[in-house]
């Protein structure tokens, strides 16, 4: 079984500042990793995913994440945030070879302050 | 291409009642998964259907059930509703079980 820990439940940051949302996972098998964003009253939108290959993954809206196998981490970063990035962010994992069942972290509420 | 649609968007029921939620996947997608999202438990996997067959099931009681039709549309049913069933129920679809999932906007169920 897999599990995901998002270390920060809330992250406030000023507009145009950089941000890092932390995610650690636990698994006895190889995994796929994902970051999703959820805006109020909406479903989940995929930001980026790591399946294999380069450990630095670039996603939509200027976000990127780095897969670190030794530290079992997949932290999400953005060099300069905007007010519109205010949302809840979820890290998720599934076993590799199949993206069937996603196991989600508890979420991080990112609030961008003017 | 239209996204995943879920109906209704909001629903209010009372304890003991049953409810049916509907999900229409993206055209061409044959896999549909359901998730429950609550403030306390977060996002939890309910079940997945592919080609009208349940392929995976999460750790939920038998009161939670689902089905998928030949056109890939899916319904989930919750019987004998409890207060703790109040949640946002999300549906996600994909072409096959090995592809990226696309989520719908969810159905907000409130049990009084």
């Amino acid at each position: 079984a897999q599990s995901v820990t998002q270390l920060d439940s809330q992250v406030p940051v000023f507009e145009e500042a950089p941000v890092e949302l932390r995610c650690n996972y636990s698994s006895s098998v190889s995994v796929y990793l994902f970051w999703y964003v959820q805006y109020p009253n909406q479903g989940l939108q995929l930001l980026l995913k790591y399946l294999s290959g380069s450990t630095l993954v670039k996603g939509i809206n200027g976000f990127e994440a780095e897969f670190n196998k030794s530290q079992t981490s997949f932290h999400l970063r953005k060099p300069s945030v905007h007010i519109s990035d205010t949302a809840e962010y979820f890290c998720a994992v599934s076993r590799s070879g199949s993206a069937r069942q996603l196991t989600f972290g508890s979420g991080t509420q990112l609030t961008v302050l003017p | 291409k239209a996204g995943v649609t879920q109906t209704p968007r909001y629903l209010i029921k009372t304890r003991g009642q049953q409810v049916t939620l509907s999900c229409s996947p993206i055209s061409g997608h044959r896999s549909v998964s359901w998730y429950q999202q609550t403030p306390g438990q977060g996002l939890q996997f309910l079940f997945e259907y592919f080609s009208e067959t349940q392929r995976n099931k999460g750790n939920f009681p038998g009161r939670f059930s689902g089905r998928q039709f030949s056109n890939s549309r899916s319904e989930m049913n919750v019987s004998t509703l409890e207060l703790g069933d109040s949640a946002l129920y999300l549906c996600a679809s994909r072409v096959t079980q090995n592809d990226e999932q696309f989520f719908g906007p969810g159905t907000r169920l409130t049990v009084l």
Side-chain angles (χ1 to χ4, degrees), chain B residues 28-90:
Chain B
H29 288 196
R30 295 169 61 195
S31 166
V32 173
S33 296
W34 289 90
Y35 293 83
Q36 181 197 63
Q37 184 177 23
T38 60
Q41 300 298 318
L43 278 154
Q44 294 183 286
F45 172 75
L46 279 156
F47 29 65
E48 179 175 19
Y49 287 85
F50 181 77
S51 294
E52 302 178 64
T53 303
Q54 189 180 91
R55 303 292 178 153
N56 279 299
K57 190 177 191 306
N59 189 25
F60 278 82
R63 299 185 297 108
F64 292 82
S65 63
R67 58 178 176 168
Q68 186 180 34
F69 302 95
S70 58
N71 61 358
S72 295
R73 190 177 71 84
S74 177
E75 290 181 347
M76 68 163 279
N77 184 277
V78 188
S79 63
T80 319
L81 284 166
E82 301 176 0
L83 295 179
D85 297 332
S86 295
L88 180 67
Y89 290 88
L90 292 165

Side-chain angles (χ1 to χ4, degrees), chain A residues 13-29:
Chain A
V13 63
F14 287 106
E15 194 173 18
E16 297 184 8
V19 70
E20 177 180 83
L21 306 184
R22 298 181 292 170
C23 172
N24 285 91
Y25 69 93
S26 173
S27 176
S28 58
V29 299

